[in-house]
């Protein structure tokens, strides 16, 4: 019975998390569009899948992603080698971004915009090389962001200086970038951080801030994601200007 | 759909594994070659990775089955000129107010998908632990969700009116910077982070469908040029609402302590 409760509680809490979506979809479908809900069976099965998936994800976070992120942060802090830590930060940012499906989708859209806007030739090869170049650019920018963010935690720089500098960078680049690329560049900031990167990077930051004397995990530990969603905007606009 | 949902689930699992490979390689490579220390509780950590992978596969496949087809269809129907003409009873020359169902849908779908977003849940759990419970998991998620809701609703308004994206974003930046100086220091980094984590697996596909649907049906807009920007809005506004949430909690705590 105790075991059963243990399994049921996470499922119930993911059911609660899904309730708003179900209510919104049902209200608009039935109340506004006045149409029946199609494929009820498939939707019920899908909702069950989402519930199971969310519950397992949270369990896995606490067992795997959070502990590994933190234990690596402690290990790097004990080892005391800044250059290895920074290399790790860069590799984590680059490696998790370059294969990110959302980024691949955005890069393909950007290539289409560039081809239609006559910035590149409208051939499949030109589009592909444009999209690949863009993807590597964004991945480099995220690697760079995590590196600088980790350096900030170690040195204890206030986060808002970095963010304000980033904002100024975005605004300056907006003035020079081709107008077609601006919308995509702004969106690219939000899509680069995936569901697996976020917990890992958060645990790394919080772990570092708690293992270094004089750092507060709340004030210094968070902020890596914020910077990693800012640099892609600048780099994508830069890419649009150079190509 | 040619294959059954369970076959699709396997494919999704394979995709998720491929996405995770570079991350796993980085972690285990550094662990073995640089740190040269065994991972504490390795078995449990590996089991955790399996849970995350299988969980995400179920999650994504479930979304694909239940939410995305219907959500995308609804986004297309709500932005359809025939639907707008039907609720407004005039056939041409819509003004921005005629799209009110779209704004309401944008607000509601932004709020509800954010509550279900797994990466936001992860950050909220961590913030709850680190702040020793003073930041509530649900409180933070609701604050972020309200931000996303406002952002996406305003983003759809921008697509309808065709005003330039960068003026909204720059104004937003100014508000964020000003708010930074008044918000409690403890919340600032977390508030900045919540901008980036909100837009992920659940929100992006639905919001992209809404933006493209709107930009391709509103007269004078092009899907290619005006369809973007909603994600940028959705990453901007949570920063303001999370800082506002902390300011509000602080103000209430101060008032409570004064009345005693």
């Amino acid at each position: 019975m105790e075991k059963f409760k243990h399994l049921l509680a996470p499922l119930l809490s993911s059911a609660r998390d899904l309730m708003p979506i179900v209510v919104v979809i049902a209200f608009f479908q039935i109340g506004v569009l006045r149409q029946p809900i199609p494929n009820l069976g498939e939707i019920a099965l899908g909702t069950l899948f989402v519930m199971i998936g969310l519950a397992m994800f949270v369990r896995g976070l606490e067992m795997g992603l959070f502990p590994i992120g933190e234990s690596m942060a402690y290990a790097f802090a004990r080892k005391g080698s800044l250059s290895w830590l920074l290399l790790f930060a860069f590799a984590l940012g680059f490696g998790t971004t370059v294969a990110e499906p959302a980024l691949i989708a955005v890069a393909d859209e950007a290539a289409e915009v560039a081809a239609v806007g006559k910035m590149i030739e409208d051939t499949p090869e030109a589009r592909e090389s444009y999209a690949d170049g863009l993807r590597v650019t964004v991945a480099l920018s995220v690697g760079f962001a995590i590196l600088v963010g980790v350096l900030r935690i170690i040195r204890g720089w206030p986060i808002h200086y970095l963010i304000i500098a980033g904002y100024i960078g975005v605004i300056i680049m907006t003035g020079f970038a081709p107008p077609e690329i601006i919308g995509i560049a702004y969106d690219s900031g939000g899509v680069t951080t995936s569901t697996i990167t976020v917990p890992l990077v958060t645990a790394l930051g919080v772990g570092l801030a708690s293992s270094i004397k004089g750092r507060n995990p709340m004030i210094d530990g968070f902020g890596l994601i914020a910077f990693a969603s800012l640099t892609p905007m600048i780099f994508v606009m830069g890419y649009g200007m150079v190509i | 759909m040619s294959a059954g949902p369970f076959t699709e689930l396997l494919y999704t699992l394979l995709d998720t594994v491929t996405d995770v490979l570079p991350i796993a390689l980085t972690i285990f490579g550094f662990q073995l070659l640089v740190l040269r220390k065994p991972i504490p509780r390795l078995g449990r950590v590996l089991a955790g990775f399996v849970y995350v992978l299988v969980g995400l596969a179920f999650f994504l496949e479930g979304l694909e089955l239940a939410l995305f087809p219907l959500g995308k269809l609804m986004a297309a129907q709500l932005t359809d000129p025939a639907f707008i003409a039907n609720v407004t009873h005039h056939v041409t020359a819509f003004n921005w107010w005629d799209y009110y169902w779209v704004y309401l849908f944008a607000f509601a779908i932004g709020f509800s998908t954010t509550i279900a977003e797994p990466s936001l849940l992860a950050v909220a759990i961590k913030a709850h632990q680190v702040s020793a419970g003073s930041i509530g998991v649900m409180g933070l998620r609701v604050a972020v969700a309200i931000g996303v809701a406002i952002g996406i609703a305003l983003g759809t308004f921008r697509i309808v009116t065709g005003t330039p994206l960068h003026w909204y974003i720059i104004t937003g930046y100014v508000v964020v910077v000003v708010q930074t100086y008044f918000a409690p220091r403890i919340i600032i980094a977390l508030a900045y982070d919540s901008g980036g984590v909100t837009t992920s697996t659940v929100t992006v596909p639905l919001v992209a469908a809404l933006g493209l649907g709107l930009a391709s049906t509103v007269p004078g807009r092009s899907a290619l040029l005006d369809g973007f920007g909603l994600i940028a809005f959705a990453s901007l506004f949570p920063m303001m609402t999370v800082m506002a949430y902390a300011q509000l909690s602080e103000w209430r705590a101060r008032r409570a302590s004064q009345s005693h």
Side-chain angles (χ1 to χ4, degrees):
Chain A
M1 190 64 214
E2 199 51 39
K3 180 98 187 160
F4 184 67
K5 250 187 182 163
H6 207 70
L7 282 172
L8 203 63
L11 277 181
L12 281 179
S13 87
S14 40
R16 188 196 57 188
D17 293 345
L18 284 177
M19 267 317 280
I21 300 188
V22 174
V23 171
V24 168
I25 297 268
F27 170 74
F28 275 88
Q29 187 74 2
I30 298 164
V32 180
L33 293 165
R34 291 169 201 279
Q35 272 158 21
I37 292 183
N39 303 330
L40 261 181
E42 229 168 61
I43 288 181
L45 182 68
T47 311
L48 185 69
F49 274 15
V50 173
M51 271 168 60
I52 296 172
L54 201 56
M56 284 182 81
F57 174 79
V58 172
R59 186 93 185 90
L61 272 185
E62 279 156 3
M63 283 167 63
L65 291 183
F66 281 161
I68 190 98
E70 273 172 33
S71 83
M72 289 193 86
Y74 290 130
F76 272 116
R78 260 201 314 275
K79 192 176 167 69
S81 158
L82 183 62
S83 37
W84 276 120
L85 174 59
L86 294 183
L87 190 67
F88 174 71
F90 182 83
L92 194 65
F94 183 86
T96 55
T97 311
V98 79
E100 169 66 28
L103 176 61
I104 296 173
V106 166
D108 290 343
E109 282 164 5
E112 199 184 331
V113 171
V116 171
K118 307 250 181 306
M119 284 144 61
I120 55 169
E121 274 181 69
D122 199 356
T123 60
E125 297 80 44
R127 280 190 190 197
E128 204 185 312
S129 82
Y130 184 89
D132 287 347
L134 187 68
R135 242 172 73 196
V136 173
T137 309
V138 172
L140 283 174
S141 75
V142 174
F144 168 75
I146 306 282
L147 185 152
V148 175
V150 162
L151 198 62
R152 168 203 143 240
I153 295 177
I154 294 169
R155 297 269 185 265
W157 300 330
I159 174 83
H160 55 271
Y161 291 162
L162 282 187
I163 297 293
I164 291 172
Y167 284 172
I168 294 173
V170 169
I171 293 172
I172 292 176
M173 293 300 275
T174 304
F176 295 101
E180 295 84 10
I181 203 88
I182 291 175
I184 295 167
Y186 283 6
D187 275 1
S188 71
V191 298
T192 48
T193 42
S194 78
T195 315
I196 295 167
T197 321
V198 166
L200 261 179
V201 165
T202 306
L204 180 77
V206 168
L208 274 177
S210 8
S211 59
I212 297 171
K213 231 179 154 182
R215 298 285 168 275
N216 177 322
M218 240 358 253
I219 294 174
D220 303 298
F222 290 93
L224 287 177
I225 307 288
F227 204 50
S229 13
L230 200 52
T231 51
M233 300 195 201
I234 302 173
F235 277 60
V236 169
M237 284 190 274
Y239 185 78
M241 282 160 64
V242 173
I243 302 293
Chain B
M1 197 161 64
S2 54
F6 288 93
T7 328
E8 293 286 327
L9 186 65
L10 270 182
Y11 283 122
T12 316
L13 183 61
L14 278 180
D15 280 347
T16 323
V17 172
T18 331
D19 295 341
V20 167
L21 266 182
I23 306 176
L25 281 179
T26 311
I27 289 181
F28 291 104
F30 271 85
Q31 191 78 40
L32 292 174
L33 300 174
V34 179
L35 294 171
R36 295 207 189 104
K37 281 212 183 94
I39 297 169
R41 306 224 267 168
L42 181 64
R44 191 180 150 88
V45 168
L46 288 179
F49 267 80
V50 173
Y51 268 112
V52 165
L53 286 175
V54 177
L56 272 183
F58 264 103
F59 188 77
L60 295 174
E61 187 51 36
L63 290 178
E64 209 57 63
L65 273 175
L67 182 62
F68 288 164
L70 193 55
K72 287 175 183 169
L73 185 68
M74 288 170 75
Q77 285 172 332
L78 283 169
T79 52
D80 187 350
F83 170 77
I84 311 271
N86 203 14
V87 291
T88 55
H89 306 295
H90 52 94
V91 186
T92 46
F94 302 133
N95 58 42
W96 67 269
W97 180 243
D98 295 333
Y99 288 86
Y100 59 91
W101 279 122
V102 174
Y103 308 138
L104 207 63
F105 181 70
F107 187 91
I109 208 80
F111 182 89
S112 57
T113 53
T114 305
I115 293 287
E117 200 64 81
S119 34
L120 174 62
L121 180 57
V123 168
I125 291 173
K126 198 83 226 168
H128 182 72
Q129 287 169 3
V130 172
S131 68
S134 72
I135 292 169
V137 174
M138 224 2 154
L140 182 68
R141 288 162 82 195
V142 168
V144 173
I146 292 175
V148 174
I150 296 173
I152 295 180
L154 197 63
T156 49
F157 168 77
R158 184 199 74 83
I159 294 178
V160 169
T161 55
T163 32
L165 172 64
H166 55 271
W167 293 124
Y168 291 84
I169 300 291
I170 292 172
T171 313
Y173 283 173
V174 171
V175 173
V176 168
V177 170
V178 170
Q179 225 180 343
T180 301
Y181 283 93
F182 295 101
R185 239 188 110 205
I186 202 99
I187 200 76
I188 290 172
L190 182 64
Y192 287 170
D193 266 3
S194 45
V197 298
T198 47
T199 44
S200 185
T201 34
V202 200
T203 321
V204 171
L206 281 185
V207 164
L210 188 63
L212 290 175
L214 205 51
S216 52
T217 53
V218 176
R221 302 287 167 273
S222 118
L224 230 41
L225 298 184
D226 302 298
F228 300 98
L230 288 181
I231 311 285
F233 274 83
S235 333
L236 183 61
F237 282 82
M239 300 194 223
M240 303 178 201
T241 48
V242 170
M243 282 195 269
Y245 163 70
Q247 285 173 301
L248 205 66
S249 323
E250 198 188 44
W251 178 73
R252 272 181 24 202
R254 204 182 311 134
R255 219 177 54 157
S257 71
Q258 272 168 2
S259 66
H260 285 300

